[in-house]
Amino acid sequence: MLKELKELMPNFKDGFFTTSDGIEIHYLEGGSGEPLILTSGWPTSPCIFAYNLPEISKHYHVIAIENRGTGESGKPTHGYRVSRLSKDVYDMMQALGLKKAHFMGHSMGCATLWGFIDLFGQDMIDKLILVDQAPWLWSDIGENDESMELHCGHRGNPYGLYDAFKVSWEEGFKAFAAPEYWPTSASSLAESRPQGNHVMELEEIYRSRIEYPREPLARLVTNHYMTDWRDIVSIITVPTLIITGENTHAMNSASAAWMNNAIKGSELVVFTKEEYGNHIMMANSPEKFNRVVLDFMLKK
């Protein structure tokens, strides 16, 4: 585990398992009780939840998987599709002997869980928490403006984004914030509290110490960008909590309301701008985030 992360999560330990295609995947675990599996976004690790997992692990056995190509997981040249990440989660459950678990996904980690539902159904899911991810980001030319607004889609440039990340992380993240590549941009992340800035610094430390495979990961973000999960969102029946923010680039109020309506009985919590409700609201307002998550999880 990253030394700087260990300081924030002293009760967590490392674990490894091997996927069905032979890749060693790293995960962090802590706490006891019912299992709660965390799936991370792109190209991030459980660092994003450094101010949340210690508190949540007081009530649950938290297992936070690091996606292939990131953190201390294997860095193969193949398997960089959301569906493969979903299978990696399934493989981890098999390796750990888990028949059922609660799940929390952040950003692309939500897509990983939608892929899990697509492949394996919902029988292995107790409760589901979806943190800040619209189900449809890139819209084809046939999608009208009203539909794009409703699902947070846009006519961006996914292959331009891919080309930028192939050059360097710096060029890629510049493209992320450019309207011609990602019209909603990632600029909201600049407005964060110290905890939010710190978790992003931890991610940069990871990338500086461990050579992440940029081209394969660029393929992954393109796959994520261009996959439409609306049909899967509409069939979710397990108890679901949706969390988003007023100042995020990954959703908008219309897409959050659509998901809340599409998933019958789901709950929606929105972090305000005053609460630094951007894409990493869990680090910016950890006390509220932890309370919201635990209130939902502990509810009978």
Side-chain angles (χ1 to χ4, degrees):
M1 188 189 310
L2 192 70
K3 176 176 68 70
E4 291 85 350
L5 181 59
K6 183 70 173 176
E7 292 171 358
L8 294 173
M9 299 167 51
N11 296 324
F12 276 68
K13 62 181 182 179
D14 298 287
F16 291 90
F17 71 96
T18 302
T19 64
S20 60
D21 63 337
I23 307 306
E24 189 174 61
I25 298 292
H26 178 238
Y27 62 91
L28 306 177
E29 66 175 332
S32 60
E34 297 175 357
L36 169 62
I37 294 174
L38 171 68
T39 54
S40 300
W42 185 95
T44 61
S45 74
C47 288
I48 296 292
F49 284 88
Y51 291 95
N52 315 108
L53 298 189
E55 182 64 26
I56 296 171
S57 69
K58 292 178 182 178
H59 305 271
Y60 293 92
H61 176 199
V62 178
I63 306 162
I65 188 171
E66 287 184 348
N67 294 328
R68 59 177 63 207
T70 66
E72 295 173 54
S73 289
K75 312 292 188 298
T77 57
H78 69 279
Y80 291 87
R81 283 170 292 277
V82 172
S83 58
R84 179 63 245 190
L85 302 186
S86 305
K87 180 60 164 63
D88 291 346
V89 172
Y90 177 84
D91 288 350
M92 182 178 73
M93 292 185 72
Q94 298 303 299
L96 298 180
L98 300 177
K99 297 186 182 301
K100 202 166 189 177
H102 305 288
F103 290 84
M104 178 163 64
H106 171 239
S107 193
M108 187 188 70
C110 295
T112 301
L113 298 181
W114 294 329
F116 186 93
I117 291 170
D118 192 20
L119 291 170
F120 307 109
Q122 301 177 58
D123 290 345
M124 289 180 278
I125 301 175
D126 271 321
K127 290 187 176 183
L128 180 65
I129 303 173
L130 302 171
V131 184
D132 208 42
Q133 180 61 59
W136 178 222
L137 296 172
W138 182 81
S139 298
D140 62 40
I141 58 174
E143 201 84 9
N144 61 46
D145 291 345
E146 182 181 2
S147 177
M148 286 197 299
E149 173 67 19
L150 186 61
H151 305 111
C152 200
H154 46 68
R155 296 187 181 99
N157 186 349
Y159 290 108
L161 198 63
Y162 167 82
D163 289 337
F165 274 109
K166 277 179 64 179
V167 174
S168 69
W169 287 111
E170 182 181 12
E171 287 300 310
F173 285 121
K174 276 199 291 188
F176 236 144
E180 64 268 31
Y181 294 108
W182 192 288
T184 49
S185 91
S187 58
S188 67
L189 290 176
E191 300 177 10
S192 287
R193 287 177 170 152
Q195 299 102 310
N197 291 329
H198 187 44
V199 297
M200 296 306 292
E201 288 166 2
L202 292 177
E203 294 292 353
E204 290 177 9
I205 290 171
Y206 247 142
R207 287 196 298 273
S208 67
R209 292 184 187 172
I210 302 173
E211 188 174 351
Y212 284 15
R214 276 199 324 277
E215 191 278 332
L217 286 171
R219 275 187 269 133
L220 175 59
V221 77
T222 303
N223 176 257
H224 166 48
Y225 198 153
M226 297 180 69
T227 304
D228 182 354
W229 296 105
R230 288 175 290 182
D231 60 326
I232 299 301
V233 168
S234 297
I235 65 168
I236 293 174
T237 57
V238 297
T240 301
L241 170 65
I242 303 162
I243 300 175
T244 188
E246 283 188 339
N247 196 35
T248 175
H249 63 278
M251 291 190 80
N252 58 26
S253 59
S255 63
W258 179 86
M259 284 180 59
N260 187 205
N261 181 65
I263 305 173
K264 303 305 180 187
S266 63
E267 300 177 27
L268 172 63
V269 174
V270 180
F271 284 65
T272 66
K273 292 180 180 178
E274 292 72 26
E275 295 167 321
Y276 290 78
N278 60 21
H279 197 45
I280 52 170
M281 80 292 285
M282 71 287 291
N284 286 321
S285 296
E287 295 84 3
K288 176 178 177 178
F289 187 91
N290 297 343
R291 183 176 68 253
V292 165
V293 167
L294 289 172
D295 284 350
F296 170 75
M297 292 291 295
L298 295 169
K299 188 186 305 178
K300 299 298 184 184

